[in-house]
PDB file of all heavy atoms in Angstrom:
ATOM      1  N   PRO F1011     110.518  79.971 107.514  1.00 47.00           N
ATOM      2  CA  PRO F1011     110.200  81.175 106.696  1.00 47.00           C
ATOM      3  C   PRO F1011     108.872  81.069 106.015  1.00 47.00           C
ATOM      4  O   PRO F1011     108.497  79.903 105.597  1.00 47.00           O
ATOM      5  CB  PRO F1011     111.383  81.249 105.702  1.00 47.00           C
ATOM      6  CG  PRO F1011     112.431  80.458 106.361  1.00 47.00           C
ATOM      7  CD  PRO F1011     111.783  79.354 107.118  1.00 47.00           C
ATOM      8  N   THR F1020     101.618  73.918  99.478  1.00 54.00           N
ATOM      9  CA  THR F1020     101.365  73.571  98.096  1.00 54.00           C
ATOM     10  C   THR F1020     101.534  72.078  97.852  1.00 54.00           C
ATOM     11  O   THR F1020     100.791  71.411  97.221  1.00 54.00           O
ATOM     12  CB  THR F1020     102.396  74.309  97.212  1.00 54.00           C
ATOM     13  OG1 THR F1020     102.193  75.701  97.378  1.00 54.00           O
ATOM     14  CG2 THR F1020     102.151  74.028  95.710  1.00 54.00           C
ATOM     15  N   PHE F1034      90.067  57.582  91.527  1.00 60.00           N
ATOM     16  CA  PHE F1034      89.230  57.553  90.337  1.00 60.00           C
ATOM     17  C   PHE F1034      89.703  56.464  89.363  1.00 60.00           C
ATOM     18  O   PHE F1034      88.920  55.638  88.863  1.00 60.00           O
ATOM     19  CB  PHE F1034      89.287  58.896  89.697  1.00 60.00           C
ATOM     20  CG  PHE F1034      88.692  58.927  88.240  1.00 60.00           C
ATOM     21  CD1 PHE F1034      87.330  58.687  88.132  1.00 60.00           C
ATOM     22  CD2 PHE F1034      89.456  59.145  87.194  1.00 60.00           C
ATOM     23  CE1 PHE F1034      86.702  58.724  86.853  1.00 60.00           C
ATOM     24  CE2 PHE F1034      88.931  59.067  85.871  1.00 60.00           C
ATOM     25  CZ  PHE F1034      87.547  58.913  85.750  1.00 60.00           C
ATOM     26  N   THR F1073     100.212  77.091  80.335  1.00 33.00           N
ATOM     27  CA  THR F1073     101.655  76.881  80.669  1.00 33.00           C
ATOM     28  C   THR F1073     102.186  78.221  81.244  1.00 33.00           C
ATOM     29  O   THR F1073     101.668  79.321  81.103  1.00 33.00           O
ATOM     30  CB  THR F1073     102.501  76.606  79.403  1.00 33.00           C
ATOM     31  OG1 THR F1073     102.405  77.744  78.529  1.00 33.00           O
ATOM     32  CG2 THR F1073     101.901  75.369  78.676  1.00 33.00           C
ATOM     33  N   PHE F1148      73.969  80.006  88.515  1.00 96.00           N
ATOM     34  CA  PHE F1148      73.366  78.936  87.735  1.00 96.00           C
ATOM     35  C   PHE F1148      72.923  77.877  88.694  1.00 96.00           C
ATOM     36  O   PHE F1148      73.714  76.882  88.917  1.00 96.00           O
ATOM     37  CB  PHE F1148      74.392  78.418  86.737  1.00 96.00           C
ATOM     38  CG  PHE F1148      74.866  79.412  85.750  1.00 96.00           C
ATOM     39  CD1 PHE F1148      76.095  80.021  85.917  1.00 96.00           C
ATOM     40  CD2 PHE F1148      74.100  79.850  84.658  1.00 96.00           C
ATOM     41  CE1 PHE F1148      76.582  80.968  85.019  1.00 96.00           C
ATOM     42  CE2 PHE F1148      74.525  80.738  83.728  1.00 96.00           C
ATOM     43  CZ  PHE F1148      75.800  81.421  83.965  1.00 96.00           C
ATOM     44  N   LEU F1215      78.837  67.084 101.759  1.00 97.00           N
ATOM     45  CA  LEU F1215      78.242  66.346 102.880  1.00 97.00           C
ATOM     46  C   LEU F1215      79.028  66.628 104.163  1.00 97.00           C
ATOM     47  O   LEU F1215      78.415  66.586 105.241  1.00 97.00           O
ATOM     48  CB  LEU F1215      78.209  64.885 102.574  1.00 97.00           C
ATOM     49  CG  LEU F1215      77.153  64.428 101.556  1.00 97.00           C
ATOM     50  CD1 LEU F1215      77.263  62.903 101.257  1.00 97.00           C
ATOM     51  CD2 LEU F1215      75.752  64.797 101.981  1.00 97.00           C
ATOM     52  N   CYS F1230      77.252  59.307 102.881  1.00 98.00           N
ATOM     53  CA  CYS F1230      77.762  58.712 101.588  1.00 98.00           C
ATOM     54  C   CYS F1230      77.218  57.281 101.479  1.00 98.00           C
ATOM     55  O   CYS F1230      76.932  56.824 100.315  1.00 98.00           O
ATOM     56  CB  CYS F1230      79.247  58.639 101.559  1.00 98.00           C
ATOM     57  SG  CYS F1230      80.066  60.305 101.354  1.00 98.00           S
ATOM     58  N   SER F1362     102.926  58.340  84.619  1.00 76.00           N
ATOM     59  CA  SER F1362     101.816  59.253  84.571  1.00 76.00           C
ATOM     60  C   SER F1362     102.354  60.682  84.340  1.00 76.00           C
ATOM     61  O   SER F1362     101.699  61.435  83.578  1.00 76.00           O
ATOM     62  CB  SER F1362     101.005  59.162  85.820  1.00 76.00           C
ATOM     63  OG  SER F1362     100.416  57.928  86.010  1.00 76.00           O
TER      64      SER F1362
END
Side-chain angles (χ1 to χ4, degrees):
T1020 301
F1034 168 68
T1073 65
F1148 301 99
L1215 290 175
C1230 287
S1362 296

